[in-house]
Each structure stands twice: as C-alpha cells, then as structure tokens.
Amino acid sequence: MRIGVVGCAGRMGQMLIRQIAATEGCTVAGGTDRPGAPAVGRDIGAVAGLDPIGITVIDDPVALFVDVDAVIDFTTPEATERHAALAAQARVAHIIGTTGLSPAQIDGLKRAAQHTAIVFAPNMSLGVNLLMVLVEQVAKSLGPDFDIEILEMHHRHKVDAPSGTALGLGKAAAAGRGVDLDAVSDRVRDGHTGARKPGDIGFAVLRGGDVVGDHMVVFAGEGERIELSHRAGSRQIFAKGAVRAAQWAHTQPPGLYSMRDVLGLG
Ligand code: NAD
C-alpha cells in the first residue's frame, strides 16, 4: 500500500514516515510540507532521520494525492480542509490527526467524506480510544451526582487548547449522560466564578516541557472520586494508529470514520 504524508517535516510527520517505512506491506509514496519550509526539495527519508529513499519532499499536494492509496495528515486546520477536498477528488483515503478544526472546517470534512473514506480522530492511540469508551460507560453508570472534570497536559509548543483529545473525552462523557457537550462545557475559570453549575463538564489545561500528552477524567462525588487517566510516553503510538487507520480505510466505502471504527470498539 502506497501512503503519502502531508506535513511530513513536522514532529508527527517525521514519525509517520518512519512508521510507514517500518510497516510490512506499506511504502512511503511521497510527502509534502508548506511552501517555503526548509524540508521542501530534500529527500524525505533524510528529513525523517532515515537513509535517503530517493523521494523528494514537494509543496504541491495535488501532485501527491493523484499517486497514492492513502494520505496521512497531521498539519493545520486550514491545510487539512484543503487536503480533504483533494482526497475527495482523487478518491484517496484520508487519515486526519490534525486538531483544532472549526465547526465549518468539520463540515468540509463531512462533504469530502461523501466521496472517500476519511478517518478523523483527535487521538490515534489505542489507549485513549479505549479510555473514551470507558468514560462514556462510567458517565452513564454514575449519573449527575458525580461532577466530571477533564484535565490535560501537553508540551510547550502546542497551539490549541483544550486538546482535541480532552474535547473528545468531554464528548464521550456528555454522550454517556445523554447531553450535548456544548451546552454543559465549562472551559475557562478565572476570578469570582460562583459555585460549580450542576451538570457542567469542566476542563483544565496545563502546558510545559516535552509532555507528549496526559489526560485525566475525574468523576467527583460526595465522599469518593474515580479517576481514569492515560499518559502517552511517545508519539509513536499516534503514528502506529494512523498507519493502521490508513490500512483499514483503504478498503472502506466513503464515510467519516473515527478510531473507534478502526479499532472495532463500537
Ligand atoms: P508540527 O508543527 O510539528 O507539524 C506540522 C507540519 O505541517 C509542519 O511541518 C508544517 O510546516 C506542516 N504544514 C503546515 N501547513 C502545511 C500545508 N499547507 N501543507 C503541508 N504541510 C503543512 O505539529 P505536530 O506536533 O506534528 O502536530 C500537528 C497536528 O497534529 C496538530 O494539530 C496536533 O494537535 C495534531 N496531533 C494529533 C495527534 C493525534 O493522535 N490525532 C497526535 C499528535 C498531534
């Protein structure tokens, strides 16, 4: 299977190139980065810290999408929206890890998914997707007597907050309670906030160092507290999940899928 990587010089992009090269049955078919990026024109293997593989990083995604079976995309919301339209035109599976997309940009993905298989997941790791299933179940079982708080910590370079994963966990908790997250989420607390509103789902965000990604969901009741957490030790878990998603999506009909679909978690 021929897999392309857009944003291949990024932290995740380099990891993805190495993961594809190490996966049996998959080959690195090409890669792009933004116009003017230092990686453009260099050998993609060398950019990822491997031996050269004879493929040059380009800045034109159109040329990439016409010549691959799937494209993996950990870039920016604007770039991802454009890439999804190209994936739809080329009928190529599109695996999206980019976070921070606006509702309008997500609508763009839904339109593209009418023509090709798109996997869109704020977190591609097996552990976090399992955590989402558990959070939904626990929220459903405990009911409104337990307050739900979601805490996340990431490295100092992360540009969006709360993380896409934290919001995904919030959605899972809200789904367990049968409510809409937008109606109950409390994302910023500062100054005289007043008492906690019953039913709210609160978010807390920490940034620092090189933390790959920590998430904790706290269910706080009277006299007891349940904490479900996941700590990512390496970005490789996301790259592994993304390559697995590409292999899966390649044989699926058009549609917008999640990692739960890929992993068969229901
Ligand atoms: P990064 O900044 O290191 O890499 C992004 C890359 O995309 C850069 O090389 C940049 O030049 C490139 N890029 C920007 N615009 C482009 C364009 N128009 N065309 C091609 N390339 C372009 O960031 P990162 O840490 O690799 O994270 C990227 C995204 O992935 C973020 O949104 C992050 O939150 C998300 N992420 C998701 C998961 C997951 O499991 N879903 C895991 C880690 C990171």
Side-chain angles (χ1 to χ4, degrees):
M1 189 180 165
R2 292 169 48 74
I3 305 180
V5 177
V6 284
C8 65
R11 280 178 288 261
M12 278 306 303
Q14 294 180 39
M15 186 65 85
L16 286 159
I17 298 297
R18 294 196 291 272
Q19 187 61 39
I20 295 165
T23 304
E24 215 179 301
C26 295
T27 50
V28 177
T32 68
D33 212 281
R34 70 183 156 72
V40 173
R42 290 183 60 208
D43 186 279
I44 197 168
V47 166
L50 301 171
D51 288 338
I53 57 175
I55 298 174
T56 304
V57 177
I58 56 174
D59 61 9
D60 175 15
V62 178
L64 179 74
F65 276 83
V66 294
D67 192 29
V68 291
D69 297 315
V71 167
I72 306 182
D73 184 341
F74 286 64
T75 58
T76 65
E78 298 72 28
T80 292
E81 190 181 19
R82 168 144 196 252
H83 294 146
L86 293 175
Q89 275 171 23
R91 305 289 195 266
V92 157
H94 189 194
I95 313 307
I96 302 171
T98 311
T99 60
L101 275 72
S102 68
Q105 287 166 331
I106 292 172
D107 283 345
L109 302 193
K110 286 181 187 157
R111 282 194 297 277
Q114 290 169 5
H115 306 286
T116 193
I118 295 185
V119 178
F120 175 46
N123 193 305
M124 300 260 175
S125 85
L126 171 64
V128 159
N129 286 282
L130 203 53
L131 179 66
M132 295 212 186
V133 174
L134 295 174
V135 164
E136 185 171 336
Q137 282 172 357
V138 173
K140 194 172 184 173
S141 310
L142 291 177
D145 286 351
F146 282 76
D147 299 324
I148 303 177
E149 293 284 307
I150 298 169
L151 177 83
E152 61 107 330
M153 178 159 188
H154 281 85
H155 54 88
R156 58 168 73 107
H157 303 291
K158 186 160 176 64
V159 294
D160 54 317
S163 69
T165 303
L167 292 171
L169 289 164
K171 267 198 188 129
R177 281 190 166 171
V179 297
D180 180 17
L181 178 64
D182 291 338
V184 296
S185 79
D186 187 359
R187 289 172 54 160
V188 183
R189 294 185 182 124
D190 189 22
H192 186 79
T193 60
R196 191 181 198 287
K197 255 194 14 231
D200 270 1
I201 294 177
F203 290 85
V205 174
L206 283 73
R207 291 285 174 266
D210 61 355
V211 177
V212 175
D214 292 353
H215 292 89
M216 189 199 291
V217 181
V218 181
F219 297 85
E222 297 272 346
E224 60 181 342
R225 198 158 75 229
I226 298 165
E227 297 171 353
L228 299 178
S229 66
H230 178 269
R231 287 173 203 273
S234 147
R235 285 194 174 80
Q236 204 186 353
I237 58 173
F238 310 128
K240 261 192 187 162
V243 173
R244 187 164 164 181
Q247 290 171 306
W248 179 87
H250 183 40
T251 60
Q252 298 302 312
L256 187 59
Y257 301 100
S258 69
M259 273 315 271
R260 281 200 196 183
D261 298 316
V262 175
L263 299 169
L265 294 173

